[in-house]
Amino acid sequence: MDMQKKIAVINDLSGYGRCSLTVAMPILSVMRYQCCPVPTAILSNHTGFHTFFYDDYTEKLTAYIGAWERLGLSFDAVLTGFFGSAEQIRLVTEIVNGMKKKGSAVIVDPVMGDDGELYQTYTEEMCGRMRELAALSDVVVPNVTECCLLTGMPYREAGFKRQELFAMALRLRDLGAKSVVITGAREGSFLTNVVLEAGKAEAEFVRMRSLGVSRPGTGDVFSSVLAGAVLGGRPLAESVYLAARFVRDCIKKSDELGIPVLNGVCFEELLGKLGRGFVRS
Ligand code: PXL
């Protein structure tokens, strides 16, 4: 009997800058899962750098997943991230729907932008497709920018009140997501995460003091730890706390070690500690 859980991660492979699969694979591995990547694109480095090589993988996806289907593979969960085209999101939505029917928990990190801006490769059409994918999710994990894009709410530099964030979370649930986690809403020197769990009428707010500047890839670190904690059976709010604390500690460590901001967070330094927190009972 296979006692180890498997998680498929549909995300890009960026060679430099610490994001997407290069973050998700080590984190989920140290949390004792078999992490099975499905690459959506191959990049030399993330798109925050002024130049990058980019190879879209849309045309290969059907054949890649087809082989998994012929092998009869199934996954305890699937986590999605960055996509290269609207057509790719449509395909991934079909793939995720198939996995969901076979019993996979679905966690969607709707990677679209940050700080009120869309990522360089993102289009309006992709946002529409992302709404359809998010509708399939057991947990959707947008940052505030992505939450605005998904709900049609204009982004405000000055931030949002808790009541407004709660209203956006409810709207995401109306779109079809079962549980909603809105990450990194600024409240003075704190970053607050809004947790609206399936079937609950009230949200919980999980606050963490921010200990440094924001860095690329931290959303991927967050969604990976969250997915791992949820798959391990932890309650959603506790999983959010563990993810937020790990991101905070990674940012602090990165500042201490003088890691350039564009290079993301040096999560490698803290992987051992993360793993020790997830010993199988
Ligand atoms: O961390 C989000 C992300 C994922 N993948 C790629 C990116 C980014 C953010 O810039 O460029 C390729």
Side-chain angles (χ1 to χ4, degrees):
M1 192 173 59
D2 187 347
M3 305 246 301
Q4 198 191 41
K5 289 187 176 171
K6 292 191 278 292
I7 177 163
V9 180
I10 313 181
N11 211 337
D12 72 272
L13 180 72
S14 284
Y16 193 82
R18 300 187 182 91
C19 69
S20 29
L21 283 175
T22 59
V23 164
M25 291 181 64
I27 286 180
L28 286 160
S29 297
V30 88
M31 292 173 85
R32 293 155 208 276
Y33 299 108
Q34 182 185 352
C35 178
C36 308
V38 180
T40 55
I42 296 182
L43 293 91
S44 52
N45 46 269
H46 66 66
T47 63
F49 289 92
H50 69 87
T51 182
F52 51 87
F53 164 78
Y54 183 98
D55 190 20
D56 185 88
Y57 216 61
T58 306
E59 285 181 5
K60 312 274 169 51
L61 271 183
T62 307
Y64 191 110
I65 293 296
W68 279 8
E69 281 171 359
R70 286 194 301 283
L71 289 170
L73 301 184
S74 62
F75 298 87
D76 298 283
V78 53
L79 167 65
T80 70
F82 178 93
F83 301 117
S85 65
E87 170 59 10
Q88 184 170 69
I89 308 178
R90 193 192 63 73
L91 267 175
V92 168
T93 304
E94 274 180 22
I95 293 166
V96 167
N97 209 9
M99 290 178 165
K100 192 180 158 101
K101 284 188 182 137
K102 285 169 87 177
S104 307
V106 179
I107 300 138
V108 172
D109 180 358
V111 177
M112 296 193 280
D114 209 354
D115 299 323
E117 305 271 343
L118 279 176
Y119 291 133
Q120 282 191 51
T121 48
Y122 234 81
T123 63
E124 277 299 320
E125 194 191 352
M126 291 168 80
C127 292
R129 289 281 180 209
M130 190 60 99
R131 270 186 213 114
E132 293 169 5
L133 176 59
L136 295 181
S137 62
D138 290 293
V139 189
V140 66
V141 196
N143 61 30
V144 176
T145 302
E146 291 154 350
C147 185
C148 288
L149 290 165
L150 289 173
T151 58
M153 182 81 141
Y155 180 80
R156 279 205 311 263
E157 194 74 50
F160 294 90
K161 295 199 185 76
R162 285 190 174 192
Q163 205 50 38
E164 295 171 310
L165 293 165
F166 174 54
M168 283 198 273
L170 283 174
R171 249 202 253 182
L172 286 175
R173 233 174 35 181
D174 289 342
L175 277 179
K178 285 212 185 98
S179 296
V180 178
V181 176
I182 304 173
T183 63
R186 187 157 280 287
E187 288 188 320
S189 60
F190 289 87
L191 291 174
T192 298
N193 303 286
V194 184
V195 185
L196 180 60
E197 218 173 324
K200 293 221 175 135
E202 295 297 330
E204 288 175 77
F205 296 87
V206 178
R207 259 179 18 153
M208 199 62 65
R209 194 176 284 282
S210 83
L211 294 181
V213 294
S214 79
R215 288 170 176 267
T218 47
D220 305 321
V221 174
F222 188 100
S223 60
S224 303
V225 177
L226 179 76
V230 167
L231 192 52
R234 309 239 181 180
L236 188 59
E238 183 189 336
S239 303
V240 167
Y241 172 76
L242 293 171
R245 190 180 66 181
F246 188 67
V247 169
R248 178 201 66 188
D249 293 348
C250 286
I251 290 175
K252 181 162 176 278
K253 192 69 171 177
S254 302
D255 283 350
E256 281 166 16
L257 296 190
I259 308 294
V261 169
L262 262 185
N263 291 6
V265 288
C266 55
F267 67 92
E268 304 87 354
E269 302 286 333
L270 298 168
L271 273 182
K273 189 168 168 216
L274 181 68
R276 285 191 291 279
F278 287 89
V279 178
R280 206 190 317 283
S281 53

